[in-house]
Amino acid sequence: MLPPRPGGLHPSLFLASSVVRGSLDNHETRLNSDQIRESPAESASSRDTWPTADAVTHTKLENEKGEKGYYEQSVIHQLSGSTKIYLLDIARERVDIISEKMKLLPNEYLEELRGRLRRMLEGKAGPQQGDEFLVLQRLVQSRSDLTAKTLIRAHRVQLEILVAINSGIQAFLHPSVSISQTSLIEVFVYKRCRNIACQSQLPADDCYCEICTNRKGFCSLCMCVICNKFDFEVNTCQWIGCDSCSHWTHTDCAIRDKQIGMGSSPANGLGSSELLFRCRACNRTSELLGWVKDVFQHCAPTWDRESLLRELNVVSKIFRVSEDTKGRKLFWKSEELIEKLKGGLAETTASGVILTFFQELDMDSPKNTEAGNSSRLVPPQEACNRIAQVVQEAVQKMELVADEKMRMLKKARIALEACDSELEEKAKEVAELKLERQQKKKQIDELDSIVRLKQAEADMFQLKADEARREVGRLQMIALSKLGKSEDDYASRYLKQRLSEAEAEKQFLLEKIKLQDQDSRSSQSNGNGMGEPSQALLSKIQEILKSV
């Protein structure tokens, strides 16, 4: 059976960085063999039990947040300190309070918050980001108020950040990934698979085995039974499916936990030992040689050189511990083809060689069985029954695979239709926004033209006012100069008038003096002796002359 996990999404959207993964591993407590263990395979982190950070790291990060704004480098510098929100606030504050604050923040600031957490999960800012993420995750997972009922009131970006912190998967923050708010809440409360390419309701296929019920968020359709992780590898030997319960396990995890080993398969009934895989979910065994043969027969013709080399390496690791003849032959053949591929052998030739090898093993099997068991002849009826049993099992497996493929196809079609409808809605919104933008731009252009016209009018009036002001100054100067000249002319005429009057009075007085002199002389000659009036007239004439 091939892994029926969904494909089509780029793994880079879901793989946690090795830097963050290393920081998480350094803080993680050693688990027992029955608990979750790390897988060496590159896969997205999807644990149900997460490591915690010590109190010293927590205190240090809180102090740095208060002193330098360590948790957030906002692109919106105009926001005041009281209106900003940091990742630490989202991780520890009440849902409704943060939701109300986030409604008032601009989209640029919210996108910067998501970008900050994405960079933290990618580990691009150094190993210190791992400690910071552990603090946030510890705060989120220690809260009892984060339930489906309270998360309904959460802001969309707030909910995405909480889910990403809880799961450690950055795909929930990617702008091209759109998941409904209801699905995000179900992922947070472990009622839906956190693999966004799967999104199955949990427990998957209504499986209530010990594995599915005891692990929060475990999905038997796409997650490894041992490490509880998922990836997007399909048509590969890197995943082993159980023939009995259809749970899946990483090949590397099975080898590391010694779930692959020699044993007697009840299917052949011959008592011979072969390499088997023991499923941890149901504790039943499945044979590996036929499984590897099926994978290569179905998928090898489509593999490129890199994929074929990788699969041969996986087969080599699986059958390295094999002790039966067929398993050892497959191990040697894998090692031989790996060396030839590295030496330049074409991948099509190598695929043909390995497929021919599997056919030869099938042809050699009856001969070896007959040679090793010559003393025991199988009756024809028993042989027919065995063949019918094998065919029936193969048909059942094919039907299971076909049903699984149909179910995944229906799910993919529903997801595609949902994406198409959402894309249409987004296109309508974009068109409306463009139209509104054009209208706003037109209004702005009209306002700009009015402003320019008013500015030109103001400049013209200002110019006229300046000219009028200069004209007033010039007229004032002319008026002042004329006023001074008229005053001088008036004074001159007045003085001339006064002078002419004084001259006339002077002549009059002189004439009068002469008359008086004549009278005085006549009176003197008569013996009167009076000359005072003449003297008084003379003094009066002098005073008049002084005043002039």
Side-chain angles (χ1 to χ4, degrees):
M1 295 176 61
L2 305 183
R5 291 181 310 284
L9 295 177
H10 199 280
S12 63
L13 298 180
F14 314 97
L15 302 185
S17 171
S18 60
V19 177
V20 176
R21 193 187 313 284
S23 177
L24 295 174
D25 295 342
N26 290 335
H27 291 80
E28 188 171 8
T29 306
R30 295 293 182 184
L31 302 175
N32 296 327
S33 60
D34 295 335
Q35 294 175 329
I36 305 166
R37 299 184 182 179
E38 279 293 315
S39 171
E42 286 294 327
S43 59
S45 177
S46 54
R47 301 179 182 86
D48 62 307
T49 303
W50 293 91
T52 58
D54 54 350
V56 177
T57 304
H58 189 185
T59 306
K60 174 184 175 184
L61 291 177
E62 285 194 338
N63 292 337
E64 290 184 358
K65 181 250 181 182
E67 295 173 0
K68 305 177 183 178
Y70 179 75
Y71 277 89
E72 199 63 48
Q73 298 175 352
S74 176
V75 295
I76 309 298
H77 302 289
Q78 293 81 4
L79 293 176
S80 63
S82 60
T83 57
K84 289 183 180 179
I85 294 179
Y86 302 95
L87 293 176
L88 184 62
D89 299 328
I90 297 176
R92 66 182 179 182
E93 298 294 336
R94 283 175 48 186
V95 173
D96 53 348
I97 295 176
I98 298 297
S99 177
E100 293 299 325
K101 290 183 178 180
M102 294 184 78
K103 290 177 182 178
L104 304 176
L105 294 174
N107 293 332
E108 293 81 0
Y109 188 87
L110 299 179
E111 184 59 33
E112 177 63 20
L113 276 177
R114 292 198 296 186
R116 167 71 174 165
L117 184 55
R118 279 203 306 269
R119 292 190 295 272
M120 191 184 302
L121 290 170
E122 292 169 358
K124 291 183 178 179
Q128 192 175 14
Q129 294 283 4
D131 295 335
E132 184 178 348
F133 175 75
L134 286 174
V135 171
L136 297 174
Q137 193 173 71
R138 178 185 178 185
L139 289 171
V140 171
Q141 295 182 350
S142 63
R143 292 174 60 178
S144 60
D145 62 317
L146 296 180
T147 62
K149 187 175 181 180
T150 58
L151 291 174
I152 294 176
R153 304 175 61 183
H155 189 275
R156 169 75 186 193
V157 176
Q158 177 189 9
L159 183 58
E160 291 175 352
I161 290 175
L162 287 174
V163 173
I165 292 175
N166 187 45
S167 64
I169 302 174
Q170 63 164 320
F172 295 105
L173 305 170
H174 203 276
S176 64
V177 176
S178 179
I179 303 176
S180 66
Q181 191 153 348
T182 304
S183 298
L184 287 173
I185 295 174
E186 290 177 348
V187 170
F188 189 89
V189 297
Y190 305 116
K191 292 184 178 180
R192 184 178 293 274
C193 178
R194 57 181 168 270
N195 180 359
I196 66 171
C198 177
Q199 289 285 290
S200 300
Q201 290 285 344
L202 298 181
D205 286 345
D206 296 330
C207 178
Y208 293 95
C209 68
E210 184 179 358
I211 298 293
C212 292
T213 54
N214 291 347
R215 294 189 181 181
K216 291 183 178 180
F218 177 77
C219 176
S220 60
L221 298 180
C222 66
M223 294 183 182
C224 174
V225 172
I226 296 177
C227 70
N228 202 25
K229 295 179 181 179
F230 60 85
D231 56 39
F232 299 92
E233 296 292 339
V234 293
N235 300 331
T236 177
C237 295
Q238 298 181 55
W239 284 85
I240 303 175
C242 176
D243 294 340
S244 300
C245 64
S246 299
H247 285 55
W248 294 91
T249 306
H250 279 124
T251 302
D252 290 332
C253 295
I255 294 174
R256 187 187 64 245
D257 275 25
K258 303 187 184 308
Q259 298 297 311
I260 294 178
M262 298 301 296
S264 177
S265 174
N268 53 32
L270 301 177
S272 60
S273 179
E274 62 178 326
L275 197 63
L276 301 176
F277 161 70
R278 183 173 296 278
C279 178
R280 178 172 289 185
C282 64
N283 205 30
R284 298 178 183 176
T285 58
S286 304
E287 58 93 16
L288 290 173
L289 183 61
W291 164 71
V292 171
K293 181 186 70 173
D294 291 341
V295 173
F296 271 81
Q297 286 178 345
H298 285 88
C299 308
T302 62
W303 287 337
D304 55 13
R305 175 181 293 272
E306 183 179 353
S307 300
L308 185 58
L309 267 173
R310 182 178 66 247
E311 298 302 322
L312 287 172
N313 277 315
V314 174
V315 173
S316 177
K317 286 195 293 184
I318 294 173
F319 288 90
R320 189 181 302 274
V321 297
S322 178
E323 297 176 0
D324 65 307
T325 304
K326 292 183 179 180
R328 297 305 298 171
K329 285 183 178 180
L330 181 56
F331 169 72
W332 292 330
K333 179 60 69 174
S334 301
E335 291 290 321
E336 177 186 348
L337 287 177
I338 290 172
E339 293 298 326
K340 289 183 177 180
L341 282 170
K342 291 180 178 179
L345 180 67
E347 58 268 22
T348 54
T349 304
S351 299
V353 170
I354 192 67
L355 293 177
T356 303
F357 171 77
F358 283 121
Q359 292 177 358
E360 292 175 354
L361 281 183
D362 292 339
M363 293 174 63
D364 292 341
S365 179
K367 296 179 181 179
N368 293 335
T369 303
E370 184 179 355
N373 302 278
S374 57
S375 61
R376 182 177 179 274
L377 297 177
V378 180
Q381 185 63 34
E382 183 179 352
C384 292
N385 293 337
R386 289 183 182 179
I387 293 173
Q389 182 180 0
V390 172
V391 172
Q392 186 176 1
E393 291 178 356
V395 170
Q396 290 176 353
K397 291 181 180 180
M398 293 174 65
E399 290 177 351
L400 289 174
V401 173
D403 293 340
E404 185 67 23
K405 294 292 184 182
M406 288 298 297
R407 192 181 67 82
M408 297 305 298
L409 180 61
K410 290 179 180 178
K411 185 180 292 185
R413 185 179 292 110
I414 294 173
L416 180 61
E417 292 175 355
C419 290
D420 290 339
S421 61
E422 187 172 358
L423 183 60
E424 292 177 359
E425 293 177 358
K426 296 293 183 183
K428 292 180 181 178
E429 292 179 2
V430 170
E432 293 176 356
L433 290 175
K434 286 183 177 179
L435 181 60
E436 185 177 358
R437 180 182 177 185
Q438 291 176 356
Q439 293 176 351
K440 295 293 184 182
K441 186 177 180 181
K442 185 177 180 181
Q443 293 176 359
I444 291 172
D445 293 338
E446 292 177 355
L447 291 175
D448 287 341
S449 61
I450 294 173
V451 168
R452 288 194 297 269
L453 179 61
K454 295 298 182 182
Q455 186 64 38
E457 291 179 355
D459 294 340
M460 181 184 67
F461 287 126
Q462 184 65 38
L463 181 61
K464 290 184 177 181
D466 294 340
E467 292 178 355
R469 194 176 292 110
R470 289 194 295 270
E471 184 67 20
V472 168
R474 187 176 64 82
L475 293 176
Q476 286 178 348
M477 292 178 62
I478 293 173
L480 289 174
S481 62
K482 289 185 176 181
L483 180 60
K485 186 176 180 181
S486 63
E487 288 179 353
D488 292 341
D489 292 342
Y490 175 77
S492 177
R493 288 196 301 270
Y494 177 75
L495 291 175
K496 287 181 181 180
Q497 182 69 23
R498 291 287 295 170
L499 184 59
S500 63
E501 289 177 356
E503 287 291 336
E505 190 173 358
K506 176 183 176 183
Q507 293 296 329
F508 172 74
L509 292 175
L510 288 175
E511 290 294 334
K512 192 174 181 179
I513 290 171
K514 287 180 181 181
L515 291 175
Q516 288 178 356
D517 285 341
Q518 290 177 2
D519 291 339
S520 65
R521 282 196 295 270
S522 63
S523 61
Q524 286 177 3
S525 62
N526 293 329
N528 293 334
M530 297 179 63
E532 293 179 359
S534 301
Q535 188 67 31
L537 288 173
L538 182 61
S539 62
K540 186 176 182 181
I541 291 171
Q542 289 176 352
E543 290 177 0
I544 292 172
L545 291 175
K546 288 179 181 180
S547 64
V548 174

